[in-house]
Amino acid sequence: MDKQDLPILPTQEIGSFRKPGYLIDLWRRYMAGEGVEEELREAIRNASRETLRLMEGSGLDIVWDGEMHRWEMYYHPVTHIDGIEFVGRVRVFDNLYFVKGSVRDRPRLRENYHLEEYLFVKGNARKPVKIPVTGPYTLADWSYNEYYLSKWIKGEPNPVKARWRAKEELTIDIARNIINPILRDLAGHGVYRIQLDEPAATTHPDEMDIFVEAFNEAVRGVDAIVTTHICYSDYKVLLPYMAEIKARQFTLEFANRDTWSRGLGDDVRRGYSLLKEIREYSIESEIGLGVIDVHTDMVEPVELIVDRVRYALKYIDPERLFINPDCGLRTRSRDIGRRKLVNMVRAVRIVRDKYL
Amino acid sequence: MFRAYINGLFPRSEDLIDVWKGLDRGLVSRDKFRDRLIDECRRVIDIQRRGRLTYIHEPQIDWDDIFRPFTGLDGVEAGPLTRFFETNTFYRRPIFKSIVEYREDYIGRFLHRELLEDYGRAVTLPGPYTFIKLSESDDEELSRASIKNIYGGLCSDLKVYGYDLVILHEPALAYFYDVDWDLSFELYKPIMGSGIEYIVHPYFGDVSDKVDELRALSPWGFSIDLAYTNIDEFTPPSNTRIVLGIIDATTTLMEDIEHLAGRVIGFRDRVGIKDIDLTNNTHLEYLPFKIGVAKVELLSRLMGVLGSG
């Protein structure tokens, strides 16, 4: 499947989608060690098929199964990597936590943790698919770095340099020894479109060189279209590096920064001001345009989404524009998520029919 | 003379997290939750007491973020989730809507001073400069006036409650290259005039070139973050108290005690400073509970190796 087989302004989701209640229960019981592996596998397959039907029914052009095979984007890879040990929960905000790992040895890939799910999704999908894969920089940044830091901290008197070197070494090792082999293997099994998720990309502006080097190492020699999704980030930090990053598409979050007012003016569409700068930087990559705010239950009216897409078309050629939510919809109910996707697809069809 | 204490928000244990989530889901009663929370506060206090730290610090495990208690005051609201500097932890940005008048005894409900009796008591507050830099308002004058009101009231309350040491978290003074020192001095006035002992605690940056200003902000001393500062090249004036943020709360890597002790002694002997405090560089809540506890024990062992000075 190629982009040529897609309509203009292809619609896609980002990756995660709310799991059905029965699957969440089984995931929790499985992680609590209750020995429900078989039931969980069956539930995953059911939920995966249900979610694919939901995505296809929404009218999306490119689909995934909402990451039913994964508990979460960090936990899933780390359970398949030797050298990183889970050490406990750390707060993200309020009463929300993630289980954080600590790198205690050089990370080693146990097996391609995405192959089974890809083969299942590919075998069950009726539309082109895109597989999301957590990127090397995010895996490194969301882990404690004991192994490499212990090496550098002894020989380097400047603690900032020691931490930078340790982070660089860890991230490049993950890129070369974990992510690149996975991407190559996926491409060898016919994967056409891979999305490297890098929400941590701009967290440390001084480490952008590490991020770029790791990304390009991860995709080296991969015979597939590789895109990247970067959200809730400082895009001003990202902009000067975009041309160096070997990604066919930057799938970005905009709606979260925008107003809910109708119109095509800069004031109401201020969430999309980055697009002007992308044009000024002569970035030639495709842009995945976030038009749905995933952190509210309010469903965007079709007309608002039409305005957001039309505004984007002032700066990005339609051949380079994909339309998607800001991020995965896992924090919304399945019904709200579906309604948001349906409106997004309706809006894009209106733009295709009336404005192109 | 060496002193040792912890600062900032302490992590919640795995068990408390489960109980808290149970409360959110309606599976745990408020009374049971409250009992469990108090048990955990006692546990965090006991870890410090057994470690014979100089001050016992408030656990502050029930603070959702360092600013959140203050967003309950009239005139300030909890805004959008915002990344806290370069961490993967987010806070609700305070938004000043109208001039905030601090209500007497307001902060008391967020503290557990009844559990700290018979000990030297310490507590961490957001520093006023970081507070204004990480908050939002359409009118900066309104923010300034509000923050001065808040700190005036806070200091009075803390004196009445009998806190012996207040640690003011000021990452904005270290992280940002450009600091508006005039604004800092203005915001610190209510604290300076309160008579309360306070430490200015910058972190997430190297403050080697801001020493004079930091000394002027607090006669009681200021901190340096050893994860960002090369202690071998840091030379403050000898007539000030320096607080070494020597326990790194951003990594699970456990520091080597002998190595740390050697660095502290080497620093003291080189710069001739008599009064050195030892503490963690930032919130221990960036670590899982078990490792947070291990870091407190490490601080205690370091104090044991160094003695009182």
Side-chain angles (χ1 to χ4, degrees):
Chain A
M1 188 63 62
D2 197 355
K3 182 169 178 272
Q4 290 89 300
D5 298 310
L6 297 170
I8 196 87
L9 302 180
T11 53
Q12 57 185 355
E13 43 69 61
I14 295 298
S16 71
F17 201 75
R18 174 70 68 89
K19 292 176 176 64
Y22 65 83
L23 182 57
I24 292 173
D25 288 343
L26 278 165
W27 264 114
R28 288 204 173 116
R29 290 174 60 194
Y30 169 74
M31 290 191 295
E34 287 189 28
V36 291
E37 195 163 352
E38 271 314 304
E39 292 103 306
L40 177 64
R41 289 171 75 86
E42 185 57 29
I44 286 172
R45 287 192 285 266
N46 289 336
S48 179
R49 278 189 286 261
E50 285 170 23
T51 310
L52 281 168
R53 295 297 84 80
L54 184 151
M55 299 281 181
E56 291 158 356
S58 303
L60 292 173
D61 300 307
I62 304 170
V63 298
W64 187 244
D65 76 337
E67 301 181 3
M68 298 297 130
H69 295 250
R70 318 170 188 182
W71 173 246
E72 178 263 323
M73 67 178 291
Y74 174 80
Y75 181 88
H76 182 73
V78 171
T79 51
H80 298 270
I81 298 171
D82 287 331
I84 309 181
E85 295 172 25
F86 289 113
V87 289
R89 279 180 282 187
V90 177
R91 181 154 61 174
V92 182
F93 64 90
D94 293 359
N95 202 23
L96 188 77
Y97 307 80
F98 83 108
V99 186
K100 194 163 174 175
S102 189
V103 179
R104 291 183 163 157
D105 200 350
R106 187 180 288 272
R108 297 174 307 281
L109 180 62
R110 218 175 299 135
E111 70 261 321
N112 180 351
Y113 44 81
H114 286 311
L115 183 59
E116 185 183 333
E117 67 171 336
Y118 168 71
L119 294 174
F120 183 86
V121 172
K122 180 68 180 165
N124 284 275
R126 297 163 187 163
K127 293 272 187 88
V129 302
K130 170 189 72 175
I131 178 168
V133 174
T134 306
Y137 185 82
T138 295
L139 280 176
D141 192 59
W142 289 3
S143 303
Y144 297 110
N145 185 359
E146 285 188 38
Y147 177 72
Y148 298 89
L149 189 60
S150 64
K151 285 198 310 181
W152 281 99
I153 208 98
K154 287 172 190 158
E156 172 56 67
N158 182 328
V160 175
K161 276 189 191 165
R163 273 208 318 282
W164 199 94
R165 291 288 181 200
K167 181 74 164 284
E168 179 187 40
E169 209 174 325
L170 166 62
T171 313
I172 299 302
D173 271 2
I174 291 176
R176 285 184 182 149
N177 303 329
I178 308 290
I179 304 301
N180 184 258
I182 288 174
L183 301 192
R184 283 174 181 254
D185 191 45
L186 288 172
H189 281 86
V191 172
Y192 191 81
R193 190 176 290 273
I194 299 168
Q195 173 184 285
L196 270 188
D197 290 333
E198 286 284 21
T202 66
T203 306
H204 308 281
D206 290 345
E207 294 179 1
M208 284 306 293
D209 287 336
I210 299 176
F211 167 68
V212 174
E213 184 185 356
F215 191 97
N216 292 343
E217 283 296 322
V219 305
R220 187 184 296 276
V222 175
D223 187 17
I225 289 176
V226 181
T227 67
T228 186
H229 169 55
I230 299 172
C231 55
Y232 308 101
S233 298
D234 186 349
Y235 295 139
K236 303 269 185 213
V237 172
L238 179 68
L239 263 172
Y241 296 89
M242 284 175 79
E244 292 177 58
I245 298 167
K246 292 186 168 57
R248 169 96 159 243
Q249 178 182 127
F250 289 89
T251 312
L252 306 176
E253 152 255 326
F254 294 95
N256 170 59
R257 308 163 193 239
D258 200 36
T259 76
W260 283 62
S261 303
R262 292 282 319 272
L264 300 176
D266 292 345
D267 53 340
V268 289
R269 294 286 73 82
R270 57 175 173 255
Y272 295 81
S273 60
L274 178 79
L275 296 171
K276 278 186 212 168
E277 293 173 80
I278 286 175
R279 191 173 66 174
E280 284 163 14
Y281 271 82
S282 302
I283 306 295
E284 293 177 358
S285 316
E286 296 166 353
I287 297 297
L289 189 78
V291 295
I292 299 292
D293 184 349
V294 302
H295 288 139
T296 174
D297 279 346
M298 286 194 296
V299 177
E300 287 79 356
V302 170
E303 297 75 16
L304 172 64
I305 303 171
V306 167
D307 286 349
R308 288 173 172 171
V309 176
R310 288 182 64 201
Y311 183 84
L313 285 167
K314 293 203 278 189
Y315 302 102
I316 309 292
D317 296 335
E319 291 76 19
R320 293 197 294 121
L321 198 59
F322 284 56
I323 310 299
N324 41 262
D326 272 353
C327 190
L329 280 156
R330 63 177 288 185
T331 57
R332 304 273 64 83
S333 71
R334 288 173 71 84
D335 181 55
I336 294 284
R338 183 191 61 78
R339 286 162 56 196
K340 282 177 176 264
L341 291 175
V342 165
N343 275 12
M344 182 179 88
V345 170
R346 282 184 186 153
V348 169
R349 286 177 180 159
I350 289 170
V351 176
R352 284 175 190 150
D353 292 346
K354 282 191 177 176
Y355 299 108
L356 291 181
Chain B
M1 180 183 170
F2 293 115
R3 304 189 304 185
Y5 46 86
I6 61 169
N7 70 81
L9 310 191
F10 204 81
R12 296 168 183 172
S13 70
E14 299 285 329
D15 179 48
L16 182 63
I17 291 170
D18 287 338
V19 171
W20 210 309
K21 285 186 177 290
L23 176 74
D24 289 350
R25 293 182 190 127
L27 304 172
V28 170
S29 71
R30 185 148 287 280
D31 284 348
K32 186 180 173 193
F33 165 74
R34 184 76 195 162
D35 290 346
R36 183 64 195 81
L37 178 68
I38 296 299
D39 282 350
E40 180 120 330
C41 288
R42 288 186 202 282
R43 190 174 166 193
V44 174
I45 289 165
D46 195 48
I47 292 160
Q48 300 175 69
R49 189 175 53 76
R50 279 189 283 111
R52 303 170 71 89
L53 299 184
T54 315
Y55 296 103
I56 304 298
H57 189 272
E58 276 281 343
Q60 294 178 255
I61 49 179
D62 38 357
W63 290 35
D64 278 336
D65 62 55
I66 190 73
F67 302 112
R68 195 69 60 85
F70 308 101
T71 58
L73 288 164
D74 292 338
V76 57
E77 294 176 0
L81 282 173
T82 309
R83 186 184 293 277
F84 191 68
F85 293 91
E86 296 185 15
T87 70
N88 286 311
T89 303
F90 295 76
Y91 69 100
R92 294 258 174 216
R93 188 188 308 150
I95 301 177
F96 289 102
K97 297 282 190 182
S98 58
I99 290 200
V100 177
E101 298 295 341
Y102 183 85
R103 298 195 301 273
E104 189 182 327
D105 200 25
Y106 173 78
I107 197 64
R109 74 190 72 171
F110 300 97
L111 301 174
H112 296 278
R113 58 192 186 280
E114 72 283 2
L115 304 176
L116 298 173
E117 284 176 9
D118 305 329
Y119 307 118
R121 300 167 175 176
V123 63
T124 294
L125 298 174
Y129 186 73
T130 297
F131 202 148
I132 204 165
K133 285 295 164 187
L134 269 56
S135 60
E136 188 179 315
S137 172
D138 291 335
D139 178 359
E140 193 183 314
E141 276 307 313
L142 187 151
S143 303
R144 287 181 190 222
S146 295
I147 285 179
K148 284 192 279 189
N149 286 347
I150 290 172
Y151 282 88
L154 274 175
C155 290
S156 300
D157 274 355
L158 294 175
K159 274 185 85 171
V160 170
Y161 299 155
Y163 283 86
D164 301 286
L165 182 68
V166 177
I167 299 118
L168 296 169
H169 267 213
E170 285 285 21
L173 291 176
Y175 182 83
F176 297 118
Y177 183 75
D178 291 319
V179 172
D180 183 343
W181 291 107
D182 290 339
L183 175 61
S184 303
F185 294 129
E186 181 188 338
L187 297 177
Y188 267 78
K189 272 183 191 159
I191 309 170
M192 288 176 184
S194 71
I196 205 156
E197 179 175 346
Y198 64 93
I199 296 291
V200 180
H201 190 72
Y203 53 87
F204 293 155
D206 183 353
V207 293
S208 297
D209 58 353
K210 300 171 180 170
V211 168
D212 291 340
E213 292 88 348
L214 289 169
R215 278 186 78 208
L217 277 185
S218 170
W220 307 100
F222 67 90
S223 308
I224 60 171
D225 180 350
L226 292 197
Y228 287 85
T229 310
N230 184 355
I231 193 173
D232 298 332
E233 294 179 358
F234 178 67
T235 309
S238 57
N239 58 346
T240 189
R241 177 181 293 279
I242 288 293
V243 182
L244 299 180
I246 198 163
I247 301 296
D248 191 347
T250 65
T251 176
T252 49
L253 184 65
M254 299 306 286
E255 291 87 345
D256 179 273
I257 286 284
E258 296 302 324
H259 178 68
L260 287 189
R263 294 188 81 189
V264 173
I265 296 290
F267 173 71
R268 182 193 62 180
D269 293 347
R270 181 173 64 81
V271 301
I273 287 182
K274 290 179 186 159
D275 296 322
I276 295 178
D277 290 0
L278 307 167
T279 191
N280 42 298
N281 57 343
T282 180
H283 299 287
L284 286 161
E285 77 151 349
Y286 299 135
L287 296 167
F289 181 81
K290 273 197 299 191
I291 296 170
V293 170
K295 292 270 183 176
V296 179
E297 291 167 350
L298 194 97
L299 179 64
S300 163
R301 292 208 304 280
L302 176 62
M303 189 64 177
V305 169
L306 291 170
S308 61

